Amino acid sequence: MLICIPEVLSKADVADFRRIMDACTWEDGRSTAGAQSAMVKRNEQLPPDSEVARRLGHRVISALTANPRFLSAAVPLHIFPPLFNRYAAADGHHFGVHVDNAVRGDPLTGLRIRTDLSVTLFLAEPEEYDGGELVIEDLYGSHEVKLPAGDLVLYPASSLHLVTPVRRGMRVASFFWLQSMIRDAQARSLIFDLDNSIQMLAGRLGRDDPETVKLTGIYHNLIRYWAEA
Ligand code: NI
């Protein structure tokens, strides 16, 4: 399931990120790629262990953990330190079809996670560049994603995906992975649907409506049943 989360970062935050990132030295994106993906990856990244990448990454994580829709959709256990990349039309940047590594380790913190979900947080407006669509394949076909700056997409890390060549301008994004407390994608999807329905019911009937309270209890008990925490 693909889930888009709007306005994770404000436009002012995005502008600040871009100003900071423009002043940075970038490196070849293949430094963090696995053997297969290195063969098809052509872009640039902020050095993952650089002070600036860590600082911006903390800001992304703070925004995520304050976002109810993200928490409901991902039920995150561990979030990998966000990375930052850019694709320039002038250099023919793109990222061919690949699957992300199943396990990711961060040498700086020692954190090691199973990558259940991949995340792309867009940091350039769609009008700033042509091409650069994130194409994700799932059971229902392939989906093109290109979101406003500040929005993100969550998708199963197990899916084949690619970034089409950027033909004009520059695509800038943050990308990272997370391990969910709910490993099973179908169970996670049920939890998300249930939570959305409860929120709508609570809006209509009030949080203290007896059936809403019961459903809220069922929601938490399902998490209790499925969660690895
Ligand atoms: Ni990838």
Side-chain angles (χ1 to χ4, degrees):
M1 186 169 60
L2 269 61
I3 300 171
C4 297
I5 318 267
E7 295 170 15
V8 172
L9 292 182
S10 68
K11 299 296 184 194
D13 275 332
V14 169
D16 192 41
F17 272 55
R18 291 286 297 276
R19 189 183 50 75
I20 293 167
M21 292 163 80
D22 280 349
C24 289
T25 307
W26 293 70
E27 67 178 22
D28 191 311
R30 282 170 281 194
S31 66
T32 56
Q36 187 271 327
S37 53
M39 293 170 67
V40 292
K41 186 175 186 182
R42 297 292 177 271
N43 65 6
E44 288 185 312
Q45 282 175 194
L46 288 186
D49 47 5
S50 61
E51 193 267 334
V52 68
R54 295 284 154 161
R55 193 155 39 87
L56 294 176
H58 280 301
R59 286 175 64 181
V60 170
I61 289 179
S62 300
L64 293 174
T65 49
N67 189 302
R69 186 170 160 84
F70 171 80
L71 296 175
S72 173
V75 199
L77 176 60
H78 298 301
I79 303 174
F80 199 79
L83 302 168
F84 297 86
N85 65 13
R86 66 181 185 184
Y87 294 75
D91 300 314
H93 283 159
H94 63 279
F95 198 162
V97 67
H98 66 281
V99 170
D100 295 341
N101 286 359
V103 175
R104 283 267 165 189
D106 175 32
L108 273 191
T109 58
L111 176 71
R112 193 171 57 184
I113 68 162
R114 182 188 65 232
T115 57
D116 294 324
L117 288 167
S118 296
V119 187
T120 295
L121 168 62
F122 290 79
L123 295 173
E125 297 293 354
E127 309 81 63
E128 288 182 56
Y129 59 101
D130 292 332
E133 289 88 3
L134 172 64
V135 181
I136 301 160
E137 290 177 18
D138 68 12
L139 284 175
Y140 307 105
S142 71
H143 310 274
E144 282 192 4
V145 184
K146 188 172 187 175
L147 299 178
D151 292 13
L152 67 76
V153 60
L154 276 165
Y155 60 99
S158 55
S159 58
L160 286 168
H161 56 277
L162 59 93
V163 176
T164 65
V166 170
R167 301 186 307 273
R168 175 187 64 87
M170 178 95 79
R171 177 196 197 269
V172 187
S174 175
F175 67 105
F176 50 97
W177 304 271
L178 64 88
Q179 181 170 333
S180 177
M181 287 188 220
I182 300 172
R183 178 178 189 164
D184 186 276
Q186 252 175 320
R188 204 185 313 117
S189 167
L190 285 173
I191 285 286
F192 183 53
D193 285 345
L194 179 58
D195 188 31
N196 281 331
S197 298
I198 291 171
Q199 297 311 321
M200 279 189 265
L201 271 183
R204 221 163 55 220
L205 306 174
R207 288 209 173 271
D208 53 354
D209 169 74
E211 307 319 318
T212 310
V213 172
K214 271 190 198 158
L215 281 174
T216 304
I218 291 170
Y219 169 79
H220 285 290
N221 286 334
L222 281 175
I223 291 190
R224 193 170 281 116
Y225 184 64
W226 277 323
E228 320 157 6

